């Protein structure tokens, strides 16, 4: 049994290695851009998974933390000349502060009420940024100073640079999720997700552990915001604080399998390439991507509520042979 498990692990590792290297071999910048965005959303879904999946708190306002990371690193880079490699940690720290403020005021809520509170927090931040014309550029947004090939300033003219960084981010996010899932803290979060009242009765400090999860998730998401800002070289309230972004991040994880290790990655691998196909076939029809997300979400939830991970497990699960005992 152990040998079989090791064999499966090696096969999964080989498959992931091939998928990771393949985009670099194409040399096609358009395909590389799609691959970079796919990895970015896989990373964001893994970041959301800490709070929304493992802890079971349905947040639809993670665009708030994404926007904080994007704007913080951009502002410090444009106005103070601080490298985004440093600015992304400033953004992560600010996102943690925001997560504490939002968490202390809303983590006692459950279900749809908590989801609505998170959306409201993102909308409040978006409105504040839109009205900060002198400081943050208001609705016009901010442009990142173009330095072309400057890896120490998080910039390059080649998409390969961003692809490698995004891949490293995904691997680190997988490690963080893996460590949490297999730690005592992860078991506490699973208890909170499955039955918060029972966990509370057993002495688990549910609010504190949910707050920790929110802080970790927010910091990771903010780092993703910094990556996005340096990749597109422009940030605006609609792009980084929009309600659609918060919903998409959650949907990617839910379709893949929330609370699992590989679910967020599978969700991104399905949704982002599908979104590009939908845009191509629809001729850039406004709202086509959100229609696709909704359709895929309904199909996956109808077939298997636990997501793509459970579907793959069902397809590839081998029947157990019954032995005869004497």
């Amino acid at each position: 049994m152990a040998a079989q498990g090791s064999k499966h692990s090696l096969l999964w590792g080989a498959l992931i290695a091939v998928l990771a290297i393949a985009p670099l071999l194409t040399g096609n910048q358009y395909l590389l851009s799609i691959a970079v965005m796919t990895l970015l959303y896989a990373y964001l879904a893994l970041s959301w998974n800490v709070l929304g999946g493992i802890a079971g708190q349905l947040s639809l306002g993670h665009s708030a933390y994404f926007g904080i990371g994007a704007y913080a690193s951009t502002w410090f880079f444009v106005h103070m000349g601080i490298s985004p490699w440093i600015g992304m940690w400033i953004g992560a720290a600010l996102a943690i502060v925001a997560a504490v403020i939002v968490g202390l005021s809303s983590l006692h809520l459950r279900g749809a009420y908590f989801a609505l509170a998170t959306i409201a927090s993102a909308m409040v931040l978006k409105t504040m940024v839109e009205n900060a014309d002198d400081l943050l550029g208001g609705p016009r947004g901010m442009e990142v100073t173009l330095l072309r090939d400057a890896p120490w300033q998080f910039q390059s003219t080649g998409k390969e640079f961003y692809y490698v960084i995004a891949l490293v981010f995904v691997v680190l996010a997988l490690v963080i999720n893996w460590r949490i899932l297999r730690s005592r803290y992860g078991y506490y979060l699973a208890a909170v997700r499955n039955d918060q009242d029972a966990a509370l009765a057993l002495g688990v400090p549910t609010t504190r552990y949910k707050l920790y999860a929110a802080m970790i998730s927010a910091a990771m998401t903010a780092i993703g915001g910094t990556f996005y800002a340096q990749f597109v070289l422009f940030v605006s309230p609609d792009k980084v604080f929009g309600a659609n972004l918060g919903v998409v991040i959650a949907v990617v994880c839910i379709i893949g399998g929330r609370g699992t290790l590989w679910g967020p990655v599978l969700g991104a691998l399905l949704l982002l390439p599908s979104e590009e196909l939908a845009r191509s076939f629809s001729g850039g029809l406004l709202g086509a991507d959100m229609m696709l997300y909704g359709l895929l979400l309904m199909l996956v939830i109808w077939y298997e509520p636990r997501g793509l991970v459970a579907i793959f497990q069902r397809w590839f699960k081998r029947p157990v042979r019954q032995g005869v005992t004497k």
Side-chain angles (χ1 to χ4, degrees), residues 272-289:
L272 269 296
S274 299
E275 179 184 346
E276 290 299 321
L277 289 175
R279 287 176 180 172
S280 300
F281 285 111
S282 66
L285 179 66
L286 185 65
D289 52 346

Side-chain angles (χ1 to χ4, degrees), residues 20 31 62 135 147 162 214 219 222:
L31 293 178
H62 262 51
L135 183 63
L147 299 178
Y162 297 100

Side-chain angles (χ1 to χ4, degrees), residues 190-252:
V192 172
R193 179 187 68 228
N194 294 330
D195 193 330
Q196 183 168 323
D197 292 327
L200 193 60
L202 291 173
V204 177
T206 57
T207 301
R208 189 204 315 170
Y209 285 138
K210 287 191 294 184
L211 187 60
Y212 291 161
M215 293 165 64
I216 296 170
S217 185
M220 293 172 64
T221 304
I223 290 174
T226 295
F227 178 90
Y228 175 82
Q230 295 305 308
F231 183 61
V232 303
L233 300 175
F234 175 76
V235 293
S236 68
D238 286 333
K239 289 291 184 181
V240 299
F241 284 108
N244 285 353
L245 177 62
V247 173
V248 169
I249 293 172
V251 168
V252 169

Side-chain angles (χ1 to χ4, degrees), residues 1-23:
M1 188 67 68
Q4 185 178 6
S6 300
K7 182 179 179 181
H8 288 168
S9 298
L10 289 173
L11 289 175
W12 274 106
L15 177 61
I16 292 168
V18 170
L19 291 174
I21 295 173

Side-chain angles (χ1 to χ4, degrees), residues 13 51 66 70-71 75 134 147 150 153 159 255 260 263 276 278 297:
L51 178 64
F66 185 83
Y71 264 92
W75 190 90
D134 296 332
L147 299 178
Q153 297 287 4
K159 298 293 191 300
I255 287 180
T260 65
E276 290 299 321
L297 181 61

Side-chain angles (χ1 to χ4, degrees), residues 8-216:
H8 288 168
S9 298
L10 289 173
L11 289 175
W12 274 106
L15 177 61
I16 292 168
V18 170
L19 291 174
I21 295 173
L24 293 174
L25 301 178
T26 63
N28 187 308
Q29 295 297 300
Y30 173 70
L31 293 178
L32 267 174
S33 295
I34 296 175
V36 169
M37 293 305 296
T38 300
L39 287 174
L40 174 60
Y41 273 91
Y43 171 80
L44 293 174
L46 284 164
S47 304
W48 185 89
N49 193 46
V50 175
L51 178 64
I54 301 174
Q57 308 303 303
L58 184 61
S59 169
L60 298 179
H62 262 51
S63 56
Y65 310 128
F66 185 83
I68 288 173
Y71 264 92
S73 60
T74 300
W75 190 90
F76 279 102
F77 177 54
V78 172
H79 294 282
M80 301 187 67
I82 297 176
S83 169
W85 290 110
I86 300 174
M88 71 179 184
W89 297 110
I90 300 174
L94 293 174
I96 290 174
V97 173
V100 171
I101 295 172
V102 174
L104 291 177
S105 60
S106 63
L107 279 174
H108 64 283
L109 302 173
R110 302 187 189 182
Y113 298 103
F114 176 73
L116 290 173
T118 58
I119 292 178
S121 66
M123 292 300 95
V124 168
L125 277 173
K126 179 175 179 289
T127 303
M128 292 173 61
V129 172
E130 286 177 337
N131 287 280
D133 293 288
D134 296 332
L135 183 63
L136 300 175
R140 300 184 308 276
M142 297 177 63
E143 291 186 5
V144 179
T145 305
L146 179 61
L147 299 178
R148 302 187 68 81
D149 290 308
W152 60 92
Q153 297 287 4
F154 214 131
Q155 287 190 27
S156 176
T157 55
K159 298 293 191 300
E160 294 83 359
F161 171 80
Y162 297 100
Y163 180 82
V164 171
I165 294 175
L167 187 61
V168 171
F169 278 13
V170 170
V171 171
L172 292 176
L174 282 168
V175 172
I176 292 172
N177 276 258
W178 179 78
R179 290 295 299 270
I180 291 175
L181 284 168
R182 284 156 180 77
S183 67
R184 179 183 297 180
Y185 174 57
Y187 295 141
Y188 285 149
L189 291 181
V192 172
R193 179 187 68 228
N194 294 330
D195 193 330
Q196 183 168 323
D197 292 327
L200 193 60
L202 291 173
V204 177
T206 57
T207 301
R208 189 204 315 170
Y209 285 138
K210 287 191 294 184
L211 187 60
Y212 291 161
M215 293 165 64
I216 296 170

